[in-house]
Amino acid sequence: MRILVMNPNTTASMTASIRATATAAAAPGTEVIATEPLWGPESIEGHFEGYLSAAAVLDRLATLDLAFDALVMAGFGEPGREGAQELLDVPVLDITESAAQMAMMLGHAYGIVTTLDRAVPQIQDRLLTAGLLQRCAAVRGTGLGVLELEEDAERTVGVIIETARDAVRAGAEVICLGCGGMAGLQERVAAALGVPVVDGVAAAVKFAEAVVGLGLTTSTGRSFAPPRPKVIGSWPLSAHLSPGRAQGSPRPLNFSAQTSGI
């Protein structure tokens, strides 16, 4: 089984840490490949950057020259997952819903610790759309920017722990790490808190293995049917940034692309 993990930002060091966490969670025989878009923001902190990232991720998926059995999207609370479900013929999981679903198996209520406070409403909206908000006791921001997470590991862990304690006081019995850049920190945070801590990357990898193992994939009957045929100007941009076009898991793109003007 081969799982592709997509870091939605362009920071390669964050892709590497996400890859390490995904690989550690994967079962023997599961191959993890991690990548990032060829263009887009270096970190995602708000709706503007989130929508730019969604377009860049879909553009990258349309030109990847490899086959894979499932996709894990490693952005927490960001848009684009539904588009990938339409584009690909393999299961697509994101770390937000995967973390919350796993947390609800472990406790009555869960909490999420994320980066900046401005990300809180975006995550809450994502949980509401997914039907997962009712059992969320709290979503708390650490005040750390996404790129700050990598600057000082000890400071990052300490701030996450203190923020998570506030979520526990609000009623959370399980904590979810609310950023792909927090991947790999769950054990240290859990040891300090005494409650289960779910890493979304690890959770999504395990769910992906289960879905693929059961021979299941996204329904194309209605909501996630393939894109309708139409002209999309200058699509895909990534074809002009890397050699070759995708010949792997993406469905054949049944719309025409106008590439003049690039």
Side-chain angles (χ1 to χ4, degrees), residues 26-38:
T30 295
E31 179 185 4
V32 172
I33 300 172
T35 190
E36 65 276 329
L38 299 182

Side-chain angles (χ1 to χ4, degrees), residues 12-258:
S13 59
M14 198 161 291
T15 303
S17 66
I18 289 169
R19 179 190 297 111
T21 296
T23 300
T30 295
E31 179 185 4
V32 172
I33 300 172
T35 190
E36 65 276 329
L38 299 182
W39 57 274
E42 62 180 351
S43 65
I44 303 165
E45 294 164 331
H47 294 286
F48 174 73
E49 293 162 352
Y51 283 103
L52 281 179
S53 167
V57 165
L58 294 173
D59 190 80
R60 178 74 164 129
L61 289 171
T63 54
L64 272 176
D65 190 18
L66 58 88
F68 45 94
D69 300 297
L71 171 67
V72 168
M73 299 184 70
F76 209 98
E78 284 128 27
R81 197 276 313 280
E82 296 87 351
Q85 287 178 292
E86 293 184 4
L87 180 66
L88 303 179
D89 58 6
V90 300
V92 178
L93 297 96
D94 80 332
I95 64 173
T96 314
E97 294 185 23
S98 295
Q101 293 280 11
M102 187 164 285
M104 291 192 300
M105 299 176 190
L106 304 174
H108 175 73
Y110 67 95
I112 294 173
V113 176
T114 189
T115 53
L116 301 178
D117 181 67
R118 65 178 295 170
V120 171
Q122 196 168 349
I123 292 172
Q124 290 173 327
D125 286 349
R126 186 73 192 181
L127 296 173
L128 178 63
T129 300
L132 301 170
L133 187 59
Q134 185 175 357
R135 287 174 60 185
C136 182
V139 182
R140 297 286 188 265
T142 59
L144 296 174
V146 172
L147 299 182
E148 287 182 84
L149 297 173
E150 296 185 331
E151 292 178 357
D152 185 335
E154 293 304 315
R155 173 175 178 254
T156 295
V157 171
V159 173
I160 290 173
I161 289 170
E162 287 308 308
T163 307
R165 285 194 174 118
D166 183 57
V168 170
R169 287 191 289 269
E173 300 171 4
V174 182
I175 294 296
C176 298
L177 299 181
C179 178
M182 297 177 180
L185 302 180
Q186 64 273 19
E187 292 183 3
R188 294 182 63 183
V189 177
L193 294 177
V195 301
V197 176
V198 178
D199 175 86
V201 172
V205 166
K206 301 312 289 186
F207 280 134
E209 288 179 331
V211 172
V212 173
L214 291 169
L216 301 172
T217 192
T218 308
S219 171
T220 60
R222 192 180 187 189
S223 301
F224 304 119
R228 299 185 65 194
K230 63 188 66 176
V231 172
I232 300 181
S234 301
W235 167 270
L237 175 60
S238 290
H240 303 271
L241 302 177
S242 64
R245 283 189 61 109
Q247 300 298 326
S249 294
R251 297 191 182 100
L253 302 179
N254 58 357
F255 42 75
S256 58
Q258 289 184 334

